[in-house]
Amino acid sequence: MTDPGSGRAVPGTHSAGRYLWWLVVSQRGRVAAGASYGSLWMVGLMLPPYVLSRAIDDGLVPGRMPVLLGWVAVLLGVGAVNAWMAVMRHRTMTRIRMDATFRTVRAVMAQTVRLGAALPHKVTAGEVVTIGIGDVAVISQTLTMTGPGVGGVLAYAVVAVLLLAVSPLLAAVVLLGVPVLAVLVGPLLGRLQGTQTRYRERQSGLAARLTDLVGGLRVLGGLGGKAVFADHYRHASRALRGEGYRVGAVTSWVQALGLGLPTLFLAAVTWPAARMAAQGTLTAGELVAVYGYAAALVVPVSFFIEGGYDLTRGLVAARRVVRFLALEPDGARRVEEAGAARGVPGQGDPGQGDPGDDVPHGIPWQGVPGRDDAPGQGVPGMASVLRDPVSGVEVVPGLLTALAAARPAESAAVVDRLGGFADSAATWGAVRLDEIAARQLRDRILVADNEADLFAGTLREVVGGRRDRDREEIDRAVRTALAEDIVRGLPDGLDAAVEAQGRNLSGGQRQRLRLVRALLADPEVLLAVEPTSAVDAHTEAGIATRLHAARAGRTTVVTSTSPLLLDRADRVYFLVDGRVAAVGSHRELLGGQPGYRRLVSRGEDEEGNGAGPAAADEVPVTEEGAR
């Protein structure tokens, strides 16, 4: 399973088993070393009983002290070598687990980047949290079985051969005993897989509910819904606890059998051996050897049971990871399909480094950071019209276009289609957006959501984006977004720390910083969703004026029903039920469209009958209030 473009291994998203197999073959050399150490160590466990039997029969019983000391020295040497093998096996298996952990994390991160803004619509936050804190570790633990698993089979065969030389009956007991153990444990492992799957699903849902509860705690408290939501969480938590009890019940049986069955197996082998020794069929040394073989064989038998338990849990966890990696972003008929039609592979090497640079199967490499040479149609010329056939919106290059709708979700949906974040037949010039390489599209069209994430860092880093910005660029964008008071108000200015999601800022401040970040990106096409919804009227008026001036000659689209912003737009689209009902300037629509007038009249009554905003330089900056 290799990438046809680079020949490097890529994870299989067709099944959980194939994903686990990818983790194995991605570090085949290390796995081979771990299996070798594990095999030599486990086979080495079978040698001390043989050496001990020879010491008894050849040295102790006949009273030959030199022979006895010789075998004791051999026993000491075997023990020392086997201890070293055990240490190397453990070190190697630790590296295998860590490698698998980082590979899975990198694959999940690459998929997260690829999904981008579509991620919240495809999977819950609880699902991602569960993968990160639970499934990754479980999958890595599963790979431990590649070491002692192989060694256990070899040790089983070695003991069978050694016992065959002692007694065919005892060899038959060993050869038949291990399959009987597998038959006894197998059904429990199948049941465990089902209960683990149900538990993981409930755990994911509960984590998502907790994330929603924490994120909206202040809103829930204001609405009086905190108690209701908490009751729902407690109910779901009790259901998860019940499912956890069922998982624990099956797990306890598996673990009990993992300890008890090998002991019974030891007794089943030792009992006939002791009878044979009493009858004189076995020597004292052979009896000790048989007991030692059976006792040592408890280790691989326990590993078989433990390995089956780990594999069951690993398949459940891998199935969740595979399901996440198989998600497709909106507008999935992307460049890889266009490239496939031209014979261009849809995947490749995203960069350098080991171990996690492999791109997951099914994830086009143009969606991975660092690749800007993905196949696909070229972007159109600079002066091309963006068209959304669903709504009828046409964005003329170089103008400030506004979308006004009674339901904000309708205008936001138009932006998603024009930005290439939703399946549609939207075009840019003569080219469909879903046929343009994602990297190229993102470089030229920017969708600025009013709830986009703000990452922790200094204020300079938060607004700077992917590149370092000089002070002049930042000051210009800050002034356009009327965010000078934010910079002045923070103790260290641009070097002040901003918490994750801007928790140490007000809602209006966060919104203006998002606008600063979008302006600094300076895209050819800027699509801004409700960029001034959380600021007061005076601040909004200044932003509208300065935004129009700063983006002069650049294509800009805003969604809003504020007359202050609409009045500054070169063209306004009035949407009804998601389609264009009228188009014109703000004042033309006020005079000719009663529906549009009703939509914006409340804001006009409050803000001055739609009179144009004052000059930006004269607009005072006040504390924001929620609209």
Side-chain angles (χ1 to χ4, degrees):
M1 182 170 52
T2 59
D3 184 332
S6 65
R8 297 178 60 180
V10 294
T13 57
H14 299 295
S15 68
R18 289 185 64 177
Y19 183 79
L20 293 178
W21 178 245
W22 171 74
L23 291 177
V24 172
V25 300
S26 295
Q27 44 179 332
R28 56 176 65 88
R30 193 176 289 136
V31 169
S36 299
Y37 286 130
S39 300
L40 292 173
W41 167 67
M42 202 162 288
V43 170
L45 293 177
M46 309 303 149
L47 295 181
Y50 173 78
V51 175
L52 190 60
S53 69
R54 300 296 297 177
I56 293 173
D57 288 343
D58 297 344
L60 184 62
V61 173
R64 301 165 60 185
M65 188 58 62
V67 175
L68 177 62
L69 292 177
W71 282 114
V72 169
V74 172
L75 184 62
L76 180 62
V78 169
V81 171
N82 219 33
W84 181 81
M85 289 291 180
V87 171
M88 296 305 296
R89 179 197 68 85
H90 187 271
R91 288 182 178 178
T92 305
M93 299 316 298
T94 299
R95 292 190 179 99
I96 290 174
R97 286 193 298 269
M98 295 301 295
D99 185 282
T101 296
F102 290 129
R103 286 182 186 275
T104 300
V105 169
R106 289 291 295 271
V108 171
M109 287 299 297
Q111 172 70 336
T112 301
V113 171
R114 176 184 177 239
L115 292 174
L119 179 64
H121 308 294
K122 297 290 182 178
V123 64
T124 65
E127 180 79 5
V128 179
V129 169
T130 303
I131 290 175
I133 66 176
D135 294 331
V136 171
V138 171
I139 290 173
S140 302
Q141 180 64 31
T142 303
L143 266 65
T144 303
M145 64 181 295
T146 58
V150 177
V153 175
L154 292 177
Y156 174 63
V158 169
V159 167
V161 171
L162 292 174
L163 284 178
L164 190 61
V166 176
S167 168
L169 174 62
L170 296 177
V173 172
V174 171
L175 290 174
L176 295 177
V178 174
V180 169
L181 296 182
V183 171
L184 293 175
V185 177
L188 283 176
L189 295 178
R191 183 179 176 187
L192 177 63
Q193 185 171 356
T195 55
Q196 278 276 1
T197 300
R198 290 190 294 272
Y199 177 80
R200 289 288 185 182
E201 295 295 335
R202 287 185 179 274
Q203 185 183 41
S204 173
L206 189 63
R209 193 180 291 267
L210 178 61
T211 302
D212 293 341
L213 178 61
V214 173
L217 194 60
R218 183 179 300 177
V219 177
L220 287 173
L223 297 175
K226 190 189 302 183
V228 175
F229 205 97
D231 287 340
H232 290 166
Y233 180 83
R234 279 191 288 268
H235 177 75
S237 181
R238 285 193 293 269
L240 178 64
R241 182 181 60 188
E243 201 66 54
Y245 286 155
R246 283 185 282 273
V247 172
V250 180
T251 301
S252 65
W253 276 105
V254 173
Q255 293 178 343
L257 291 176
L259 294 175
L261 288 179
T263 303
L264 294 177
F265 176 72
L266 175 62
V269 176
T270 305
W271 172 255
R275 293 292 302 270
M276 295 171 68
Q279 295 169 0
T281 307
L282 295 181
T283 65
E286 289 174 332
L287 176 61
V288 171
V290 169
Y291 178 82
Y293 294 148
L297 202 58
V298 167
V299 176
V301 169
S302 299
F303 269 122
F304 286 149
I305 297 175
E306 182 181 344
Y309 171 67
D310 287 339
L311 180 60
T312 299
R313 297 172 67 236
L315 288 172
V316 173
R319 192 172 296 118
R320 294 167 62 85
V321 172
V322 164
R323 189 166 59 220
F324 178 75
L325 295 180
L327 293 175
E328 289 290 344
D330 295 327
R333 192 174 70 83
R334 272 252 163 244
V335 181
E336 60 207 299
E337 298 182 5
R342 302 177 179 88
V344 180
Q347 294 174 310
D349 175 15
Q352 300 177 356
D354 182 75
D357 283 342
D358 304 294
V359 182
H361 176 69
I363 298 181
W365 39 266
Q366 73 273 6
V368 179
R371 295 297 296 209
D372 54 9
D373 54 349
Q377 288 201 36
V379 290
M382 295 290 287
S384 298
V385 176
L386 268 172
R387 292 183 178 87
D388 174 34
V390 175
S391 63
V393 171
E394 293 188 356
V395 179
V396 178
L399 299 183
L400 173 59
T401 303
L403 308 179
R407 291 188 289 269
E410 293 177 358
S411 53
V414 176
V415 169
D416 284 343
R417 293 193 291 268
L418 292 176
F421 284 104
D423 288 318
S424 73
T427 59
W428 195 7
V431 182
R432 283 176 59 116
L433 290 179
D434 54 14
E435 293 177 351
I436 301 175
R439 178 79 176 195
Q440 295 174 317
L441 189 65
R442 300 290 171 256
D443 282 342
R444 294 184 60 180
I445 298 180
L446 173 65
V447 176
D449 193 277
N450 63 342
E451 294 183 356
D453 290 333
L454 292 174
F455 300 102
T458 65
L459 181 59
R460 187 189 307 274
E461 294 169 340
V462 169
V463 300
R466 292 181 294 177
R467 298 187 298 274
D468 291 334
R469 313 287 181 172
D470 59 40
R471 183 59 187 258
E472 183 180 348
E473 287 182 289
I474 296 176
D475 287 345
R476 188 163 52 246
V478 166
R479 184 175 183 278
T480 300
L482 255 72
E484 299 100 320
D485 63 312
I486 303 176
V487 178
R488 290 194 301 266
L490 293 174
D492 297 317
L494 291 175
D495 296 319
V498 176
E499 297 178 7
Q501 302 301 338
R503 288 191 297 267
N504 56 334
L505 303 172
S506 69
Q509 289 174 328
R510 290 194 295 268
Q511 189 173 60
R512 284 184 285 160
L513 288 186
R514 293 185 182 103
L515 182 57
V516 171
R517 184 172 60 183
L519 291 170
L520 278 173
D522 194 27
E524 178 183 338
V525 179
L526 173 61
L527 309 175
V529 179
E530 300 289 343
T532 59
S533 60
V535 300
D536 59 59
H538 294 288
T539 304
E540 184 177 44
I543 291 176
T545 300
R546 296 182 183 183
L547 179 63
H548 186 275
R551 293 286 298 176
R554 309 282 277 172
T555 306
T556 307
V557 177
V558 296
T559 69
S560 179
T561 56
S562 167
L564 293 171
L565 192 57
L566 294 172
D567 189 59
R568 286 295 179 179
D570 299 307
R571 174 180 289 190
V572 179
Y573 282 95
F574 175 41
L575 304 179
V576 176
D577 295 329
R579 297 192 60 82
V580 175
V583 59
S585 69
H586 171 62
R587 297 182 183 277
E588 289 172 348
L589 294 178
L590 281 177
Q593 293 293 325
Y596 178 83
R597 188 164 53 249
R598 286 193 298 271
L599 176 65
V600 302
S601 60
R602 178 181 178 184
E604 291 197 350
D605 289 342
E606 294 173 352
E607 293 159 359
N609 281 327
D617 292 334
E618 300 171 358
V619 177
V621 179
T622 62
E623 182 60 29
E624 306 86 81
R627 273 189 171 277

